[in-house]
Amino acid sequence: MAVPAWLALAIAIGAEVIGTSCLKACQGFTQLWPSLGAVAAYALTFYFLSLALKSIPVGVAYAIWSGAGTILLALIGFLVFRQKPDLASTVGMLLIICGVVVIHLGSHSKPS
């Protein structure tokens, strides 16, 4: 069964967010379970990103993947790790959200 490209991209984003959260928790790969979680999550990330790239242009997919990941990780940082973004970070993330929306809604390019 083929995974739809946008679903594959969403799974890649989710796995990347989990992997990066595990990187924070593994404390330089000194904690076994978070370290294994990071490696497994990044393996899933790149597998599903490669599936998404079959149908979504690489620039569009990467912009959405990195932008959405940045926003989700900032939210996790705030909720889980108690990290508070300053005004500049908040404005920058709002601009990222705007950029991802523009790319998603306005891009009509096709992968080669």
Side-chain angles (χ1 to χ4, degrees):
M1 178 175 125
V3 177
W6 291 106
L7 177 59
L9 183 58
I11 293 169
I13 291 166
E16 191 266 337
V17 168
I18 291 168
T20 302
S21 298
C22 287
L23 282 177
K24 171 74 173 152
C26 79
Q27 301 174 4
F29 291 102
T30 61
Q31 304 297 312
L32 177 64
W33 294 112
S35 298
L36 292 175
V39 170
Y42 274 105
L44 284 174
T45 296
F46 292 118
Y47 173 72
F48 281 100
L49 184 59
S50 73
L51 294 180
L53 293 176
K54 289 180 179 181
S55 300
I56 303 170
V58 68
V60 172
Y62 189 76
I64 293 171
W65 177 64
S66 61
T70 299
I71 299 303
L72 290 170
L73 282 163
L75 185 61
I76 288 171
F78 179 75
L79 296 173
V80 176
F81 300 114
R82 305 288 184 226
Q83 299 169 341
K84 295 185 180 173
D86 58 16
L87 179 61
S89 297
T90 302
V91 170
M93 286 184 268
L94 289 172
L95 291 171
I96 290 170
I97 291 170
C98 291
V100 168
V101 169
V102 168
I103 289 168
H104 182 68
L105 296 177
S107 177
H108 301 290
S109 59
K110 305 268 190 249
S112 56

XYZ file of all heavy atoms in Angstrom:
817
model
N 0.834 -1.174 0.000
C 0.000 0.000 0.000
C 0.884 1.245 0.000
O 1.755 1.402 0.842
C -0.892 -0.018 1.233
C -1.776 1.191 1.352
S -2.871 1.001 2.756
C -2.472 2.483 3.620
N 0.674 2.115 -0.934
C 1.463 3.340 -1.043
C 0.932 4.374 -0.055
O -0.276 4.534 0.116
C 1.391 3.888 -2.461
N 1.853 5.070 0.576
C 1.491 6.132 1.514
C 1.353 7.426 0.717
O 2.250 7.785 -0.043
C 2.582 6.284 2.598
C 2.263 7.426 3.542
C 2.775 4.983 3.357
N 0.232 8.150 0.856
C 0.098 9.432 0.164
C 1.237 10.375 0.582
O 1.662 10.371 1.746
C -1.257 9.964 0.637
C -2.019 8.754 1.078
C -0.984 7.800 1.604
N 1.701 11.174 -0.373
C 2.884 12.011 -0.151
C 2.723 12.948 1.041
O 3.648 13.096 1.852
C 3.198 12.806 -1.414
N 1.573 13.603 1.160
C 1.397 14.558 2.265
C 1.314 13.843 3.603
O 1.776 14.370 4.618
C 0.181 15.450 2.019
C 0.440 16.376 0.877
C -0.075 16.289 -0.382
C 1.332 17.499 0.859
N 0.431 17.302 -1.175
C 1.297 18.061 -0.430
C 2.151 18.090 1.809
C 2.038 19.170 -0.801
C 2.902 19.204 1.454
C 2.839 19.733 0.162
N 0.772 12.621 3.636
C 0.765 11.833 4.868
C 2.195 11.416 5.218
O 2.593 11.467 6.383
C -0.139 10.608 4.719
C -0.180 9.663 5.921
C -0.656 10.391 7.181
C -1.070 8.465 5.612
N 2.959 11.006 4.215
C 4.356 10.636 4.452
C 5.139 11.829 5.015
O 5.944 11.673 5.945
C 5.007 10.138 3.162
N 4.879 13.018 4.470
C 5.557 14.211 4.978
C 5.137 14.491 6.418
O 5.975 14.825 7.261
C 5.270 15.413 4.085
C 5.982 16.712 4.464
C 7.496 16.542 4.473
C 5.572 17.829 3.514
N 3.864 14.341 6.737
C 3.397 14.561 8.110
C 4.039 13.565 9.075
O 4.441 13.936 10.188
C 1.869 14.453 8.164
N 4.162 12.308 8.658
C 4.817 11.297 9.504
C 6.288 11.656 9.683
O 6.835 11.536 10.786
C 4.635 9.887 8.907
C 3.165 9.481 8.969
C 5.509 8.868 9.638
C 2.829 8.224 8.175
N 6.941 12.100 8.608
C 8.344 12.507 8.701
C 8.514 13.663 9.680
O 9.455 13.679 10.478
C 8.877 12.895 7.322
N 7.604 14.618 9.647
C 7.658 15.758 10.567
C 7.479 15.278 12.006
O 8.242 15.642 12.900
C 6.602 16.811 10.196
C 6.963 17.477 8.870
C 6.467 17.859 11.308
C 5.834 18.286 8.249
N 6.477 14.438 12.226
C 6.236 13.920 13.574
C 7.413 13.125 14.107
O 7.814 13.279 15.271
N 7.990 12.280 13.258
C 9.142 11.483 13.688
C 10.347 12.365 13.981
O 11.095 12.125 14.943
C 9.483 10.442 12.615
N 10.536 13.418 13.188
C 11.660 14.333 13.428
C 11.486 15.075 14.745
O 12.445 15.256 15.502
C 11.778 15.320 12.266
C 13.050 16.138 12.283
C 12.889 17.470 12.979
O 11.754 17.971 13.074
O 13.906 18.016 13.439
N 10.276 15.469 15.053
C 10.006 16.153 16.316
C 10.266 15.213 17.496
O 10.881 15.599 18.495
C 8.559 16.702 16.327
C 8.142 17.165 17.711
C 8.431 17.845 15.323
N 9.835 13.970 17.378
C 10.101 12.980 18.424
C 11.602 12.744 18.555
O 12.146 12.712 19.657
C 9.349 11.665 18.134
C 7.846 11.883 18.303
C 9.840 10.529 19.035
C 6.986 10.755 17.764
N 12.281 12.597 17.422
C 13.723 12.352 17.453
C 14.498 13.488 18.097
O 15.403 13.259 18.906
N 14.142 14.721 17.763
C 14.843 15.862 18.338
C 14.524 15.999 19.822
O 15.399 16.342 20.621
C 14.501 17.148 17.569
O 14.852 16.954 16.202
C 15.253 18.341 18.115
N 13.299 15.702 20.206
C 12.949 15.712 21.634
C 13.753 14.652 22.384
O 14.219 14.894 23.503
C 11.454 15.469 21.821
O 10.709 16.504 21.214
N 13.937 13.498 21.763
C 14.771 12.454 22.370
C 16.229 12.900 22.467
O 16.909 12.586 23.450
C 14.679 11.152 21.568
S 13.123 10.272 21.755
N 16.705 13.653 21.466
C 18.075 14.167 21.533
C 18.258 15.058 22.755
O 19.299 15.008 23.415
C 18.429 14.952 20.269
C 18.769 14.157 19.029
C 19.031 15.098 17.856
C 19.972 13.259 19.259
N 17.265 15.880 23.049
C 17.332 16.732 24.233
C 17.387 15.871 25.485
O 18.161 16.135 26.406
C 16.111 17.661 24.263
C 15.930 18.445 25.524
C 16.908 19.567 25.625
C 16.559 20.436 26.850
N 17.716 21.081 27.387
N 16.601 14.797 25.529
C 16.515 13.945 26.709
C 17.697 12.989 26.858
O 17.982 12.542 27.962
C 15.209 13.154 26.682
N 18.392 12.685 25.764
C 19.459 11.665 25.856
C 20.773 12.216 26.412
O 21.686 11.447 26.688
C 19.665 10.968 24.518
S 20.623 11.871 23.305
N 20.856 13.525 26.593
C 22.004 14.163 27.237
C 23.334 13.710 26.619
O 24.193 13.150 27.288
C 21.984 13.922 28.742
C 20.736 14.449 29.402
C 20.618 14.093 30.867
O 21.499 13.494 31.445
N 19.512 14.461 31.463
N 23.473 13.975 25.333
C 24.719 13.629 24.640
C 24.911 12.136 24.468
O 26.031 11.631 24.523
N 23.837 11.424 24.241
C 23.830 9.964 24.063
C 24.359 9.226 25.288
O 24.938 8.150 25.181
C 24.591 9.546 22.792
C 23.884 9.955 21.536
C 24.306 11.061 20.809
C 22.784 9.258 21.077
C 23.646 11.455 19.655
C 22.108 9.643 19.926
C 22.548 10.749 19.216
N 24.124 9.782 26.475
C 24.516 9.100 27.713
C 23.348 8.351 28.342
O 23.553 7.584 29.285
C 25.079 10.098 28.740
O 24.063 11.061 29.065
C 26.321 10.804 28.209
N 22.139 8.560 27.836
C 20.942 7.874 28.339
C 20.468 6.902 27.263
O 20.180 7.317 26.136
C 19.841 8.881 28.668
C 20.257 9.952 29.660
C 20.623 9.377 31.012
O 19.886 8.558 31.572
N 21.769 9.777 31.541
N 20.398 5.617 27.590
C 20.143 4.573 26.592
C 18.819 4.742 25.855
O 18.798 4.802 24.621
C 20.206 3.190 27.236
C 19.884 2.016 26.294
C 20.921 1.931 25.181
C 19.800 0.720 27.061
N 17.699 4.789 26.562
C 16.399 4.760 25.897
C 16.131 5.997 25.056
O 15.681 5.861 23.908
C 15.288 4.471 26.893
C 15.423 3.076 27.438
C 15.743 2.722 28.716
C 15.325 1.852 26.706
N 15.841 1.356 28.823
C 15.578 0.794 27.599
C 15.043 1.541 25.378
C 15.549 -0.543 27.213
C 15.020 0.203 24.997
C 15.271 -0.813 25.906
N 16.409 7.189 25.554
C 16.228 8.347 24.670
C 17.172 8.315 23.466
O 16.802 8.753 22.371
C 16.527 9.549 25.575
C 16.304 9.060 26.958
C 16.676 7.609 26.938
N 18.366 7.761 23.638
C 19.310 7.649 22.517
C 18.770 6.708 21.448
O 18.806 7.022 20.253
C 20.674 7.144 23.008
O 21.249 8.053 23.922
N 18.252 5.562 21.877
C 17.661 4.611 20.927
C 16.426 5.214 20.274
O 16.187 5.016 19.077
C 17.315 3.297 21.624
C 18.501 2.459 22.109
C 18.008 1.242 22.895
C 19.389 2.047 20.956
N 15.644 5.965 21.042
C 14.473 6.634 20.491
C 14.856 7.637 19.414
O 14.191 7.734 18.373
N 15.924 8.388 19.650
C 16.376 9.378 18.666
C 16.790 8.701 17.368
O 16.400 9.128 16.273
C 17.528 10.203 19.238
N 17.581 7.641 17.471
C 18.058 6.939 16.279
C 16.878 6.343 15.501
O 16.787 6.490 14.274
C 19.084 5.850 16.660
C 19.417 4.956 15.479
C 20.357 6.500 17.211
N 15.955 5.694 16.211
C 14.791 5.088 15.542
C 13.912 6.157 14.901
O 13.450 5.995 13.763
C 13.990 4.266 16.550
N 13.689 7.255 15.611
C 12.832 8.308 15.073
C 13.454 8.944 13.835
O 12.759 9.221 12.856
C 12.563 9.366 16.146
N 14.764 9.167 13.855
C 15.402 9.749 12.669
C 15.415 8.783 11.491
O 15.307 9.205 10.340
C 16.803 10.270 12.991
C 16.747 11.669 13.529
C 16.940 11.926 14.879
C 16.442 12.744 12.700
C 16.855 13.211 15.379
C 16.346 14.026 13.190
C 16.557 14.252 14.527
O 16.452 15.523 15.010
N 15.510 7.481 11.758
C 15.410 6.506 10.664
C 14.023 6.604 10.013
O 13.910 6.635 8.782
C 15.668 5.096 11.186
N 12.985 6.685 10.835
C 11.626 6.851 10.295
C 11.482 8.182 9.558
O 10.851 8.249 8.505
C 10.597 6.788 11.417
C 10.283 5.414 11.981
C 9.349 5.530 13.193
C 9.653 4.533 10.918
N 12.078 9.224 10.117
C 12.009 10.543 9.491
C 12.510 10.493 8.058
O 11.821 10.930 7.130
C 12.868 11.562 10.278
O 12.313 11.721 11.575
C 12.926 12.907 9.582
N 13.704 9.968 7.877
C 14.293 9.992 6.545
C 13.619 9.007 5.596
O 13.525 9.273 4.398
C 15.805 9.788 6.621
C 16.485 10.963 7.264
C 17.179 10.822 8.438
C 16.381 12.230 6.707
C 17.784 11.914 9.043
C 16.973 13.328 7.301
C 17.682 13.169 8.476
N 13.104 7.909 6.117
C 12.371 6.982 5.266
C 11.100 7.656 4.724
O 10.852 7.658 3.512
C 12.014 5.700 6.032
C 11.107 4.795 5.223
C 11.601 4.090 4.126
C 9.764 4.681 5.528
C 10.773 3.278 3.361
C 8.927 3.874 4.777
C 9.441 3.175 3.695
O 8.609 2.388 2.947
N 10.312 8.238 5.623
C 9.058 8.855 5.173
C 9.295 10.132 4.379
O 8.536 10.432 3.460
C 8.114 9.080 6.358
C 7.401 7.824 6.761
C 7.838 7.082 7.838
C 6.326 7.353 6.031
C 7.201 5.899 8.202
C 5.673 6.180 6.374
C 6.116 5.453 7.457
N 10.347 10.870 4.692
C 10.680 12.037 3.876
C 11.040 11.593 2.460
O 10.639 12.228 1.482
C 11.815 12.838 4.507
C 12.185 14.141 3.803
C 11.002 15.098 3.717
C 13.350 14.808 4.523
N 11.754 10.484 2.335
C 12.097 9.994 0.994
C 10.847 9.582 0.215
O 10.783 9.782 -1.001
C 13.091 8.833 1.078
O 12.467 7.654 1.542
N 9.849 9.043 0.909
C 8.589 8.701 0.235
C 7.863 9.962 -0.225
O 7.330 10.011 -1.335
C 7.684 7.895 1.166
C 8.146 6.504 1.576
C 7.122 5.852 2.494
C 8.421 5.628 0.364
N 7.853 10.975 0.629
C 7.185 12.228 0.275
C 7.839 12.874 -0.936
O 7.159 13.458 -1.788
C 7.206 13.190 1.467
N 9.162 12.757 -1.039
C 9.892 13.405 -2.132
C 9.639 12.762 -3.495
O 10.027 13.325 -4.519
C 11.387 13.433 -1.828
C 11.789 14.322 -0.657
C 13.284 14.205 -0.384
C 11.382 15.755 -0.895
N 8.959 11.634 -3.517
C 8.572 11.048 -4.799
C 7.535 11.911 -5.505
O 7.455 11.902 -6.728
C 8.012 9.634 -4.599
C 9.042 8.612 -4.207
C 8.380 7.254 -4.043
C 9.378 6.181 -3.678
N 8.711 4.867 -3.542
N 6.730 12.639 -4.721
C 5.641 13.424 -5.304
C 5.694 14.913 -4.998
O 5.091 15.704 -5.700
C 4.289 12.898 -4.795
O 4.127 11.549 -5.146
N 6.376 15.283 -3.939
C 6.445 16.687 -3.531
C 7.829 17.222 -3.885
O 8.830 16.574 -3.577
C 6.195 16.829 -2.017
C 4.834 16.231 -1.632
C 6.265 18.299 -1.584
C 4.607 16.122 -0.136
N 7.922 18.382 -4.525
C 9.236 18.946 -4.851
C 10.090 19.117 -3.588
O 9.573 19.471 -2.525
C 8.899 20.309 -5.472
C 7.501 20.175 -5.967
C 6.825 19.237 -5.015
N 11.367 18.866 -3.717
C 12.254 18.853 -2.555
C 12.255 20.184 -1.809
O 12.261 20.204 -0.572
C 13.692 18.406 -2.953
C 14.371 19.444 -3.825
C 14.523 18.107 -1.724
N 12.245 21.294 -2.489
C 12.251 22.590 -1.821
C 10.990 22.829 -1.012
O 11.030 23.340 0.100
N 9.862 22.443 -1.579
C 8.577 22.595 -0.882
C 8.529 21.659 0.323
O 8.175 22.065 1.433
C 7.398 22.314 -1.842
C 6.075 22.273 -1.105
C 7.372 23.355 -2.956
N 8.886 20.402 0.121
C 8.852 19.429 1.212
C 9.797 19.838 2.340
O 9.422 19.796 3.515
C 9.228 18.039 0.697
N 10.993 20.274 1.990
C 11.959 20.633 3.019
C 11.519 21.876 3.779
O 11.665 21.955 5.004
C 13.352 20.838 2.422
C 14.397 20.991 3.490
C 14.856 19.877 4.199
C 14.899 22.236 3.833
C 15.791 20.009 5.200
C 15.840 22.374 4.831
C 16.288 21.262 5.511
O 17.205 21.393 6.516
N 10.965 22.851 3.074
C 10.496 24.065 3.742
C 9.385 23.739 4.736
O 9.386 24.224 5.870
C 10.012 25.078 2.709
N 8.449 22.902 4.331
C 7.347 22.530 5.225
C 7.863 21.663 6.362
O 7.504 21.865 7.530
C 6.229 21.841 4.429
C 5.583 22.855 3.479
C 5.187 21.218 5.361
C 4.617 22.252 2.489
N 8.729 20.710 6.055
C 9.297 19.804 7.071
C 10.061 20.589 8.122
O 9.835 20.428 9.323
C 10.198 18.786 6.365
C 10.913 17.823 7.249
C 10.357 16.872 8.058
C 12.321 17.695 7.406
N 11.349 16.162 8.691
C 12.558 16.642 8.302
C 13.412 18.354 6.844
C 13.835 16.250 8.686
C 14.684 17.957 7.216
C 14.889 16.913 8.119
N 10.945 21.465 7.691
C 11.765 22.198 8.660
C 10.946 23.259 9.388
O 11.105 23.444 10.599
C 12.981 22.817 7.981
O 12.590 23.735 6.984
N 10.057 23.943 8.692
C 9.239 24.962 9.333
C 8.286 24.385 10.359
O 8.192 24.870 11.488
N 7.574 23.345 9.978
C 6.632 22.718 10.914
C 7.374 22.104 12.092
O 6.928 22.205 13.239
C 5.796 21.659 10.185
N 8.524 21.484 11.813
C 9.332 20.912 12.890
C 9.807 21.969 13.867
O 9.780 21.769 15.087
N 10.218 23.113 13.350
C 10.675 24.209 14.205
C 9.558 24.677 15.133
O 9.767 24.844 16.342
C 11.173 25.387 13.337
O 12.276 24.934 12.552
C 11.586 26.567 14.198
N 8.392 24.874 14.576
C 7.263 25.352 15.374
C 6.857 24.308 16.419
O 6.647 24.632 17.599
C 6.056 25.695 14.466
C 6.429 26.807 13.484
C 4.837 26.052 15.291
C 6.915 28.078 14.106
N 6.748 23.053 16.008
C 6.348 22.009 16.951
C 7.380 21.834 18.058
O 7.028 21.644 19.225
C 6.115 20.690 16.212
C 4.876 20.665 15.321
C 4.865 19.408 14.452
C 3.615 20.756 16.160
N 8.658 21.909 17.707
C 9.694 21.776 18.734
C 9.719 22.964 19.680
O 9.994 22.810 20.871
C 11.062 21.556 18.093
C 11.243 20.113 17.624
C 12.385 19.992 16.650
C 11.433 19.207 18.821
N 9.429 24.145 19.179
C 9.328 25.305 20.068
C 8.177 25.111 21.049
O 8.302 25.437 22.244
C 9.139 26.580 19.257
N 7.069 24.562 20.567
C 5.932 24.291 21.435
C 6.281 23.229 22.487
O 5.963 23.391 23.674
C 4.732 23.856 20.594
C 3.423 23.635 21.333
C 2.955 24.923 22.010
C 2.365 23.147 20.354
N 6.950 22.171 22.072
C 7.389 21.131 23.011
C 8.392 21.716 24.008
O 8.345 21.423 25.199
C 7.968 19.920 22.258
C 6.826 19.159 21.591
C 8.745 19.000 23.198
C 7.262 18.073 20.645
N 9.315 22.543 23.511
C 10.273 23.185 24.404
C 9.565 24.001 25.476
O 9.958 23.985 26.650
N 8.517 24.690 25.087
C 7.759 25.509 26.028
C 6.984 24.641 27.021
O 7.042 24.859 28.227
C 6.803 26.432 25.260
C 5.964 27.304 26.144
C 6.523 28.410 26.775
C 4.630 27.025 26.338
C 5.748 29.219 27.604
C 3.840 27.827 27.157
C 4.409 28.925 27.791
N 6.267 23.627 26.507
C 5.391 22.818 27.356
C 6.128 21.773 28.193
O 5.775 21.541 29.353
C 4.334 22.118 26.490
C 3.347 23.034 25.765
C 2.468 22.230 24.825
C 2.514 23.827 26.763
N 7.143 21.148 27.606
C 7.813 20.034 28.283
C 9.082 20.481 29.003
O 9.315 20.127 30.160
C 8.138 18.903 27.275
C 8.925 17.782 27.934
C 6.859 18.360 26.660
N 9.912 21.262 28.307
C 11.212 21.634 28.859
C 11.215 23.014 29.516
O 12.242 23.495 29.944
C 12.287 21.564 27.759
C 12.438 20.193 27.163
C 12.103 19.954 25.841
C 12.898 19.135 27.928
C 12.229 18.686 25.283
C 13.034 17.870 27.382
C 12.698 17.640 26.059
N 10.037 23.665 29.559
C 9.871 24.965 30.209
C 10.786 26.050 29.645
O 11.291 26.893 30.358
C 10.070 24.854 31.729
C 9.198 23.839 32.406
C 7.769 24.311 32.447
N 6.956 23.349 33.187
C 5.791 22.923 32.762
N 5.294 23.351 31.645
N 5.098 22.053 33.468
N 11.002 26.006 28.331
C 11.809 27.015 27.654
C 10.875 28.094 27.125
O 9.928 27.789 26.400
C 12.593 26.387 26.502
C 13.543 25.304 26.958
C 14.118 24.506 25.799
O 13.578 24.499 24.702
N 15.208 23.815 26.064
N 11.140 29.347 27.482
C 10.261 30.446 27.073
C 10.925 31.247 25.957
O 11.998 31.813 26.146
C 9.954 31.332 28.267
C 9.163 30.583 29.315
C 8.745 31.455 30.444
C 7.962 30.574 31.415
N 7.626 31.227 32.622
N 10.277 31.288 24.778
C 10.849 32.072 23.678
C 10.714 33.570 23.961
O 9.737 34.013 24.567
C 10.008 31.657 22.468
C 8.715 31.185 23.050
C 9.034 30.628 24.402
N 11.704 34.325 23.504
C 11.624 35.779 23.643
C 10.820 36.353 22.475
O 10.334 35.615 21.609
C 13.010 36.404 23.746
C 13.891 36.091 22.544
O 13.377 35.650 21.501
O 15.112 36.311 22.653
N 10.679 37.664 22.453
C 9.865 38.311 21.425
C 10.396 38.033 20.017
O 9.629 37.707 19.113
C 9.792 39.822 21.674
C 8.976 40.614 20.652
C 7.525 40.153 20.632
C 9.066 42.104 20.943
N 11.707 38.145 19.835
C 12.294 37.914 18.509
C 12.033 36.480 18.035
O 11.699 36.256 16.866
C 13.790 38.201 18.530
N 12.164 35.508 18.928
C 11.896 34.112 18.568
C 10.431 33.911 18.190
O 10.119 33.212 17.226
C 12.238 33.182 19.737
O 13.600 33.246 20.045
N 9.553 34.529 18.943
C 8.118 34.399 18.668
C 7.763 35.009 17.313
O 7.049 34.388 16.513
C 7.296 35.069 19.789
O 7.655 34.453 21.030
C 5.809 34.907 19.552
N 8.285 36.198 17.036
C 8.027 36.847 15.742
C 8.595 35.995 14.615
O 7.939 35.774 13.586
C 8.594 38.284 15.714
C 8.559 38.860 14.311
C 7.828 39.166 16.680
N 9.815 35.491 14.793
C 10.421 34.642 13.774
C 9.602 33.396 13.494
O 9.416 33.004 12.337
N 9.074 32.779 14.546
C 8.262 31.578 14.348
C 6.938 31.906 13.657
O 6.455 31.122 12.844
C 8.039 30.866 15.679
C 9.298 30.146 16.140
S 9.048 29.215 17.632
C 9.509 30.430 18.850
N 6.374 33.057 13.962
C 5.160 33.476 13.250
C 5.449 33.674 11.761
O 4.633 33.313 10.906
C 4.586 34.746 13.864
C 3.947 34.572 15.242
C 3.595 35.932 15.847
C 2.718 33.685 15.162
N 6.611 34.225 11.455
C 6.997 34.379 10.051
C 7.198 33.020 9.376
O 6.840 32.846 8.202
C 8.261 35.233 9.930
C 8.085 36.712 10.294
C 9.442 37.412 10.361
C 7.167 37.395 9.299
N 7.752 32.061 10.102
C 7.916 30.709 9.563
C 6.543 30.111 9.239
O 6.339 29.518 8.173
C 8.696 29.798 10.533
C 10.163 30.238 10.591
C 8.583 28.327 10.132
C 10.959 29.564 11.694
N 5.599 30.263 10.158
C 4.243 29.746 9.924
C 3.662 30.377 8.664
O 3.102 29.678 7.808
C 3.337 30.010 11.146
C 3.776 29.143 12.316
C 1.870 29.743 10.802
C 3.113 29.498 13.626
N 3.805 31.689 8.537
C 3.290 32.373 7.339
C 3.954 31.823 6.078
O 3.287 31.583 5.072
C 3.524 33.881 7.437
S 2.509 34.678 8.700
N 5.256 31.619 6.129
C 5.974 31.090 4.972
C 5.523 29.691 4.595
O 5.334 29.383 3.410
N 5.330 28.834 5.580
C 4.872 27.469 5.304
C 3.480 27.498 4.685
O 3.197 26.772 3.725
C 4.907 26.608 6.590
C 4.165 25.297 6.394
C 6.344 26.346 7.008
N 2.604 28.344 5.196
C 1.250 28.450 4.633
C 1.305 28.932 3.186
O 0.642 28.365 2.306
C 0.365 29.374 5.501
C -0.941 29.706 4.799
C 0.099 28.725 6.855
N 2.114 29.953 2.919
C 2.237 30.470 1.550
C 2.776 29.388 0.611
O 2.250 29.190 -0.487
C 3.128 31.729 1.516
C 3.507 32.103 0.089
C 2.424 32.892 2.200
N 3.798 28.672 1.037
C 4.373 27.612 0.203
C 3.335 26.529 -0.055
O 3.151 26.071 -1.184
C 5.632 27.019 0.856
C 6.773 28.024 0.805
C 6.043 25.718 0.173
C 7.955 27.650 1.664
N 2.654 26.108 0.994
C 1.680 25.016 0.858
C 0.518 25.408 -0.052
O 0.094 24.628 -0.902
C 1.163 24.596 2.230
C 0.193 23.461 2.180
N 0.570 22.190 1.809
C -1.126 23.398 2.424
C -0.479 21.398 1.839
N -1.529 22.110 2.220
N 0.016 26.598 0.126
C -1.147 27.020 -0.654
C -0.798 27.512 -2.050
O -1.592 27.377 -2.976
C -1.913 28.119 0.094
C -2.530 27.714 1.427
C -3.181 28.914 2.091
C -3.521 26.576 1.249
N 0.394 28.073 -2.217
C 0.712 28.719 -3.473
C 1.602 27.941 -4.432
O 1.716 28.295 -5.587
N 2.227 26.873 -3.965
C 3.166 26.158 -4.830
C 2.435 25.202 -5.766
O 1.616 24.392 -5.347
C 4.158 25.361 -3.978
O 5.008 24.627 -4.836
N 2.759 25.322 -7.031
C 2.205 24.416 -8.044
C 3.314 23.675 -8.777
O 3.075 23.089 -9.825
C 1.346 25.197 -9.043
C 0.215 25.907 -8.394
N -0.862 25.254 -7.851
C -0.005 27.226 -8.184
C -1.697 26.127 -7.319
N -1.208 27.328 -7.503
N 4.528 23.716 -8.227
C 5.649 23.056 -8.899
C 5.525 21.542 -8.757
O 4.924 21.039 -7.830
C 6.977 23.550 -8.324
O 7.032 23.291 -6.935
N 6.084 20.853 -9.689
C 6.036 19.398 -9.732
C 7.455 18.850 -9.559
O 8.415 19.464 -10.008
C 5.494 18.924 -11.083
C 4.141 19.506 -11.443
C 3.052 18.599 -10.963
C 1.720 19.042 -11.527
N 0.831 19.570 -10.569
N 7.596 17.685 -8.912
C 8.928 17.088 -8.806
C 9.403 16.608 -10.168
O 8.602 16.294 -11.035
C 8.722 15.918 -7.840
C 7.281 15.561 -7.969
C 6.573 16.862 -8.307
N 10.713 16.600 -10.346
C 11.235 16.126 -11.636
C 11.509 14.640 -11.595
O 11.551 14.020 -10.595
C 12.504 16.871 -12.007
O 13.454 16.755 -10.984
